[in-house]
């Protein structure tokens, strides 16, 4: 099959979260299964063309895209996902993509990603390449299924092209004022109360995708179930329920070339399940970096996260005074909502021997925290998949998670009598329930044999892409069949 994989962030070129990990690691696996995959993403200011040897694509050339009556010129640069032959097409438009962040609150945020989506389709046309599937990811690509069935349907090239839409996070929908209808050139027939592109009188890019893509998935089975409920559906539950037969959960895989302690180039000391004692070297380095005491009897709990309420930081905030009384140290890497940045900073200033925070984005440090911590905390309110708990399992860093979405699908609560389980989980979204799970973890940590067992249980698991990639191929096939009925 020919597959266009479209995403707003892709590792190693640009990343704010797990979408980038998925977009950098799934396409090569799909390609290795005998498919022709091309990736499409914006060419952000932060992407270093020299480093990645990106070349302007003369075949595509310069093309105009009209938005709100103005013409913007686009170009395309071509590169490859590192160490693969998967082509990546970077949509270049300096006015839209040379900004300080990947995503902004600027007034033309809608126009930025309208430009991107139209430019992707124009690039495909100019390449004369007929994809069987356009695989769209999150709201930044949500209009493509509508465009294929309407604005671009005149072009026979797309006659048989089916669309698949992956929901990585329902919390971000690309919801804009009605004026976005004009910038996006969405025909009025798609905009009526409770209609395809309408949500409470606003334009909603994600909702349009849920109406018009041939197949839909999200990134874990549990989250797929949750999304059909009012509690988790963020207003999309009815739309998704109406598409229930075309909607599945496929758990994300991870790239163990980047994320395993035996291969990790970014950590001071590599280790394997049989040399687990070497993990202590990483703990020492982590504690030194953060001026914490390196003590085998004091567990270090790591956090690497966007500091967003989604991730359960309101629970942590409420539990903080109790948490600092426990025999543990907390290392936090993250950035995001100012409230949480300030909260951790204050606690770290008052209790430097207990808590350390590094505000910002730091890939090397994220690896050191995975390798050097004893436990990893992810008490998310909701979690479509979550990757850090999966990385943690491989690093022998025992995850403490709330039982929701992908966290529930990947972490098994410790059973003391059977010595089974890979982490600690709790279900009620309360600070008390979270604290109980943390206390249980700290308690097990004092029992060295059992602790080793829980680490080994997790390290043995395999969440590589192999199985999930096959499920994507099945999904593509179903989409293709539906489109060509
Ligand atoms: P989400 O996509 O919702 O943020 P995931 O768990 O799927 O959550 O993925 C988060 C990814 O982003 C992981 O690869 C994690 O290591 C990385 N990450 C998050 N915050 C930071 C940070 N401050 N510095 C470096 N990496 C980070
Ligand atoms: C989202 C989700 C996260 C998921 C990632 C990749 O950002 O919040 O749970 O792992 O996408 O699918």
């Amino acid at each position: 099959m020919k597959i266009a994989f479209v995403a707003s962030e892709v590792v190693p070129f640009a990343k704010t979260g797990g979408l980038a990990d998925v977009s950098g690691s799934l396409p090569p696996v799909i390609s290795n299964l005998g498919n022709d995959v091309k990736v499409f993403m914006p060419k952000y200011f932060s992407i270093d063309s020299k480093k990645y040897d990106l070349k302007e694509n003369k075949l595509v050339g310069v093309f105009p895209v009209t938005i709100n009556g103005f013409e913007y010129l686009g170009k395309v640069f071509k590169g490859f996902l590192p160490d693969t032959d998967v082509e990546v097409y970077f949509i270049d438009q300096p006015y839209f993509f040379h900004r300080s962040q990947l995503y902004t609150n600027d007034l033309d945020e809608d126009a930025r990603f309208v430009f991107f989506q139209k430019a992707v389709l124009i690039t495909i046309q100019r390449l004369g390449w007929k994809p069987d599937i356009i695989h769209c990811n999150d709201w930044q690509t949500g209009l493509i299924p509508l465009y294929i069935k309407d604005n671009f349907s005149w072009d026979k090239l797309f006659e048989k092209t089916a669309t698949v839409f992956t929901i990585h996070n329902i919390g971000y929908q690309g919801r804009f004022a009605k004026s976005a209808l004009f910038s996006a050139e969405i025909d009025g027939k798609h905009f009526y109360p409770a209609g395809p592109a309408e949500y409470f009188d606003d334009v909603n890019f994600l909702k349009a995708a849920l109406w018009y893509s041939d197949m839909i998935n999200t990134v874990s089975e549990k989250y797929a179930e949750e999304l059909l409920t009012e509690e988790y559906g963020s207003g999309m539950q009815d739309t998704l329920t109406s598409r229930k037969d075309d909607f599945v959960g496929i758990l994300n895989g991870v790239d163990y070339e980047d994320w395993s302690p035996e291969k990790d180039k970014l950590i001071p000391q590599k280790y394997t399940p049989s040399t687990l004692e070497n993990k202590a070297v990483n703990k020492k380095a982590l504690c030194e970096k953060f001026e914490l005491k390196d003590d085998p009897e004091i567990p270090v709990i790591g956090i690497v996260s966007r500091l967003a309420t989604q991730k359960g930081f309101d629970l942590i905030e409420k539990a903080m005074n109790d948490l600092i009384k426990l025999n543990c140290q907390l290392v936090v890497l993250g950035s995001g909502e100012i409230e949480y940045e300030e909260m951790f900073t204050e606690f770290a200033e008052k209790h430097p021997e207990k808590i350390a925070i590094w505000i910002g984005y730091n890939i090397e440090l994220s690896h050191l925290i995975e390798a050097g911590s004893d436990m990893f905390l992810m008490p998310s309110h909701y979690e479509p998949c979550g990757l850090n708990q999966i990385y943690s399992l491989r690093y022998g860093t025992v995850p403490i998670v709330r039982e929701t979405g992908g966290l529930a699908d990947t972490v098994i609560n410790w059973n003391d009598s059977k010595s089974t389980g890979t982490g600690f989980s709790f279900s009620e979204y309360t600070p008390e329930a979270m604290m109980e799970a943390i206390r249980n973890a700290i308690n097990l940590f004092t029992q060295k044999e059992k602790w080793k067992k829980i680490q080994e249980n997790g390290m043995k698991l395999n969440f590589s892409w192999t199985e999930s990639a096959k499920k994507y191929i099945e999904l593509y096939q179903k989409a293709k069949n539906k489109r060509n009925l």
Side-chain angles (χ1 to χ4, degrees):
M1 270 185 280
K2 293 197 188 75
I3 298 140
F5 188 98
V6 190
S8 56
E9 48 183 274
V10 180
V11 159
F13 311 109
K15 166 167 169 177
T16 69
L19 169 62
D21 297 63
V22 171
S23 307
S25 56
L26 174 60
V29 183
I30 302 268
S31 161
N32 285 340
L33 290 170
N35 300 284
D36 174 9
V37 189
K38 298 188 199 301
V39 176
F40 297 80
M41 69 177 292
K43 187 168 180 293
Y44 300 107
F45 183 63
S46 54
I47 298 174
D48 184 342
S49 300
K50 277 217 184 85
K51 179 171 167 195
Y52 297 114
D53 196 22
L54 309 187
K55 299 263 168 21
E56 190 177 331
N57 191 294
K58 295 279 165 38
L59 174 65
V60 174
V62 176
F63 54 86
V65 177
T66 309
I67 293 176
N68 270 334
F70 291 100
E71 242 180 34
Y72 296 88
L73 296 180
K75 281 199 272 193
V76 168
F77 285 72
K78 190 176 129 184
F80 291 89
L81 285 175
D83 307 320
T84 75
D85 54 9
V86 176
E87 295 171 354
V88 185
Y89 290 83
F90 295 85
I91 305 296
D92 185 40
Q93 213 309 319
Y95 174 70
F96 284 136
F97 299 125
H98 287 197
R99 305 212 179 161
S100 59
Q101 311 273 345
L102 270 52
Y103 313 120
T104 73
N105 289 320
D106 298 347
L107 290 174
D108 61 351
E109 189 71 352
D110 55 341
R112 298 178 70 220
F113 288 99
V114 165
F115 180 89
F116 172 57
Q117 299 175 82
K118 289 191 170 174
V120 167
L121 295 178
I122 293 169
T123 302
I124 291 174
Q125 287 175 318
R126 289 186 163 218
L127 290 169
W129 180 70
K130 224 184 221 186
D132 297 291
I133 301 292
I134 303 184
H135 183 164
C136 304
N137 296 275
D138 277 354
W139 73 262
Q140 294 86 352
T141 62
L143 295 179
I144 289 179
L146 182 152
Y147 286 157
I148 289 285
K149 288 188 172 154
D150 189 356
N151 308 46
F152 284 74
S153 65
W154 58 269
D155 190 343
K156 284 222 159 6
L157 186 92
F158 295 120
E159 200 177 32
K160 296 196 161 163
T161 301
T163 50
V164 167
F165 185 78
T166 301
I167 304 168
H168 294 267
N169 193 330
I170 205 87
Y172 303 87
Q173 300 185 352
R175 186 173 164 179
F176 300 102
K178 231 192 275 183
S179 57
L181 282 180
F182 302 102
S183 59
E185 286 180 357
I186 298 174
D187 192 288
K189 70 180 181 227
H190 306 289
F191 193 84
Y192 54 86
E198 194 269 0
Y199 188 66
F200 289 99
D201 213 29
D202 284 339
V203 175
N204 188 312
F205 288 13
L206 180 124
K207 190 176 174 201
L210 303 185
W211 274 68
Y212 288 115
S213 51
D214 295 298
M215 292 300 289
I216 307 165
N217 82 301
T218 188
V219 290
S220 68
E221 285 179 17
K222 178 79 176 179
Y223 191 56
E225 283 168 26
E226 290 172 341
L227 280 179
L228 301 179
T229 67
E230 197 179 337
E231 186 184 353
Y232 288 98
S234 282
M236 294 299 124
Q237 60 276 9
D238 293 342
T239 307
L240 276 168
T241 303
S242 72
R243 301 276 331 254
K244 223 165 97 195
D245 293 343
D246 304 326
F247 175 47
V248 294
I250 302 177
L251 190 71
N252 283 334
V254 304
D255 185 351
Y256 286 124
E257 290 301 312
D258 276 351
W259 290 101
S260 60
E262 59 264 38
K263 293 188 182 157
D264 196 327
K265 295 184 197 85
L266 299 175
I267 59 175
Q269 176 68 55
K270 296 188 177 55
Y271 58 97
T272 65
S274 54
T275 57
L276 196 47
E277 63 284 359
N278 287 342
K279 184 170 166 57
V281 179
N282 298 301
K283 180 169 176 177
K284 182 163 185 277
L286 180 64
C287 289
E288 265 170 20
K289 194 163 203 126
F290 284 102
E291 296 176 18
L292 295 169
K293 192 168 166 203
D294 173 31
D295 184 337
E297 304 309 322
I298 307 177
V300 170
I301 305 178
I303 293 180
V304 178
S305 183
R306 291 184 290 116
L307 299 182
T309 305
Q310 174 205 338
K311 301 289 179 181
F313 287 104
D314 52 339
L315 283 192
I316 298 181
E317 184 166 28
K318 288 188 194 122
M320 222 40 188
N321 282 316
D322 293 329
L323 198 54
I324 52 170
K325 291 185 196 130
L326 301 180
N327 180 41
C328 67
Q329 305 179 115
L330 189 65
V331 173
V332 183
L333 165 63
S335 64
E337 290 169 28
I338 189 86
E339 175 188 348
Y340 301 123
E341 293 184 356
E342 284 176 359
M343 184 267 291
F344 282 120
T345 305
E346 271 170 34
F347 272 95
E349 275 166 9
K350 269 198 224 141
H351 307 277
E353 73 298 347
K354 285 270 178 185
I355 293 170
I357 166 118
W358 202 96
I359 294 175
Y361 199 82
N362 186 328
I363 289 180
E364 195 168 333
L365 193 51
S366 71
H367 284 251
L368 181 61
I369 293 178
E370 283 295 358
S373 305
D374 298 292
M375 302 163 189
F376 195 92
L377 181 59
M378 257 176 111
S380 305
H381 179 53
Y382 73 92
E383 195 62 72
C385 177
L387 296 172
N388 278 109
Q389 84 283 10
I390 305 181
Y391 302 151
S392 299
L393 288 168
R394 185 47 75 99
Y395 282 78
T397 303
V398 175
I400 305 169
V401 303
R402 178 161 174 266
E403 247 170 71
T404 183
L407 298 172
D409 284 354
T410 53
V411 177
I412 305 162
N413 194 31
W414 174 253
N415 179 322
D416 203 56
S417 56
K418 295 188 186 142
S419 283
T420 56
T422 55
F424 292 86
S425 60
F426 62 98
S427 85
E428 222 180 295
Y429 193 70
T430 61
E432 293 77 25
M434 178 185 77
M435 284 302 291
E436 193 187 330
I438 296 176
R439 277 195 201 95
N440 290 341
I442 294 177
N443 179 30
L444 196 75
F445 185 76
T446 60
Q447 306 169 54
K448 293 300 167 206
E449 279 310 302
K450 285 188 177 174
W451 190 256
K452 195 155 177 259
K453 177 75 179 134
I454 195 173
Q455 287 179 301
E456 285 168 356
N457 288 351
M459 290 178 93
K460 266 194 254 161
L461 298 180
N462 189 340
F463 291 97
S464 67
W465 271 111
T466 322
E467 290 311 309
S468 296
K470 286 186 199 143
K471 293 186 184 160
Y472 272 103
I473 307 264
E474 278 169 31
L475 191 69
Y476 296 159
Q477 199 57 55
K478 276 191 192 150
K480 210 172 151 214
N481 294 346
K482 273 194 69 189
R483 175 76 167 155
N484 296 312
L485 272 183

